[in-house]
Amino acid sequence: MNPELRHYLADRRAAVEEALDQYSACPGSPPRLVEAMRYSLLAGGKRLRPILVIAAAEMFGLSAADVMPTACALEMIHTYSLIHDDLPCMDDDDLRRGRPTSHKVFGEAMAVLAGDALLTRAFAVMAEQGRVERVGPARALRAIAELAEAAGAAGMVGGQVEDLEWEGRQAGEEQLERIHSLKTGALFRAAVRLGGVLAGAAEADVARLDDFAAHFGLAFQIWDDVLDVAGDAALTGKGVGRDARQQKSTYVTLHGLEGAQERARAAVQRALEAIAPFGANGWVLQGLAKYVVDRAT
């Protein structure tokens, strides 16, 4: 990763961390619940999804502060999904972001409730987007609707359901791509699209962002499949080998390790082609796409 991109990511990540800390205070709520929410939300991580919101919005003239409510709402939804994904009834994971998963620390019931609270808190935070003068209520309302759709039954949750239904049997290429386009890709597409929508980008440009994010999300998921086989838990911050234990369909089981890596790199190339018309203005998105297949975590 080049130094300029590294500096950009560190700066935007710090801003997101500060805002998440403020938005998750939740005064008047049961202290143990707030503790559980913040345990997972403030556990670090790349903050890739909120940074994608910010980077897309900045391409069209907004600032990170202008879209911070949406960026943080998206990260809350992502974190809730991880808490629930780690539960014994789902993927049954013990490690997330380098430390014990929520249910291992707070118990299953509190983990479920912490996830529920983060999901609902996300939309309270998102509603604040309409008060930002450079965005306005009309764009904010569209963004709220798009985020709800991406996170729900026709998006992330639907993808999780299909992923569970295919456990123990090998999905084909078409089905596997559908699962990942929903389970992982839906929030990536939402992140990049929302940055453009909030900035008032032309529909043709929002479509280009959407195309980029679809390929970006696919590359990201394929590389996650690769890391689950070839990664190091000390670097990834989560358990490895779980896909094989749960007999999940992955790009590695379908195409082998090298075949999966080739497909991830091809997806990155298609993502870069989608935003080529933006030229130098798209440098952050370009750098993030290239980083996907270089990461060890």
Side-chain angles (χ1 to χ4, degrees):
M1 183 183 296
N2 70 64
E4 187 178 10
L5 181 60
R6 192 181 301 278
H7 175 76
Y8 175 93
L9 296 179
D11 180 77
R12 300 306 186 273
R13 188 184 301 118
V16 169
E17 295 286 356
E18 182 179 355
L20 286 172
D21 183 45
Q22 296 173 358
Y23 282 133
S24 62
C26 300
S29 305
R32 186 65 170 168
L33 174 61
V34 176
E35 183 185 359
M37 293 166 64
R38 288 167 63 84
Y39 174 84
S40 295
L41 183 66
L42 304 180
K46 296 177 285 293
R47 307 305 188 192
L48 186 53
R49 290 155 188 82
I51 288 174
L52 285 169
V53 175
I54 292 167
E58 288 176 335
M59 286 174 58
F60 299 97
L62 292 185
S63 69
D66 288 330
V67 297
M68 193 59 74
T70 296
C72 288
L74 186 57
E75 186 68 4
M76 288 179 173
I77 290 173
H78 173 56
T79 302
Y80 119 77
S81 76
L82 298 181
I83 294 173
H84 284 191
D85 204 34
D86 290 336
L87 289 168
C89 62
M90 300 282 277
D91 285 352
D92 194 14
D93 273 332
D94 297 338
L95 192 67
R96 173 69 69 178
R97 289 175 174 167
R99 58 181 185 169
T101 47
S102 179
H103 67 275
K104 287 294 182 180
V105 177
F106 298 95
E108 291 181 37
M110 187 60 75
V112 170
L113 293 170
D116 292 344
L118 283 170
L119 174 60
T120 49
R121 177 64 180 150
F123 285 100
V125 171
M126 186 76 172
E128 296 187 17
Q129 190 65 75
R131 300 191 185 99
V132 177
E133 186 175 350
R134 298 180 70 195
V135 174
R139 292 179 194 166
L141 186 60
R142 175 180 170 183
I144 290 170
E146 289 208 13
L147 181 55
E149 186 75 9
M156 181 185 69
V157 174
Q160 181 67 66
V161 169
E162 295 198 20
D163 187 41
L164 289 172
E165 289 178 343
W166 278 91
E167 281 188 4
R169 54 198 178 116
Q170 178 62 57
E173 181 84 28
E174 183 177 347
Q175 185 60 40
L176 192 57
E177 186 166 339
R178 172 176 167 77
I179 290 170
H180 292 322
S181 70
L182 297 176
K183 182 182 176 184
T184 304
L187 286 193
F188 278 128
R189 289 177 66 188
V192 182
R193 284 181 60 88
L194 292 178
V197 166
L198 293 172
E203 290 302 320
D205 287 334
V206 174
R208 290 187 181 96
L209 293 173
D210 186 80
D211 192 23
F212 163 85
H215 295 302
F216 177 94
L218 178 61
F220 188 93
Q221 181 59 58
I222 295 174
W223 208 255
D224 261 8
D225 290 351
V226 168
L227 291 176
D228 190 71
V229 173
D232 182 342
L235 295 176
T236 63
K238 58 184 179 181
V240 297
R242 63 177 183 174
D243 291 338
R245 289 193 299 272
Q246 296 168 353
Q247 296 182 300
K248 284 184 175 289
S249 294
T250 72
Y251 280 89
V252 175
T253 59
L254 187 62
H255 298 292
L257 189 60
E258 290 186 6
Q261 291 171 325
E262 289 174 3
R263 280 164 172 76
R265 294 189 177 100
V268 167
Q269 185 57 41
R270 289 193 291 272
L272 294 173
E273 291 168 1
I275 57 170
F278 297 136
N281 287 338
W283 73 274
V284 175
L285 297 185
Q286 294 164 7
L288 287 172
K290 295 173 184 176
Y291 166 69
V292 164
V293 294
D294 289 334
R295 63 193 170 100
T297 60

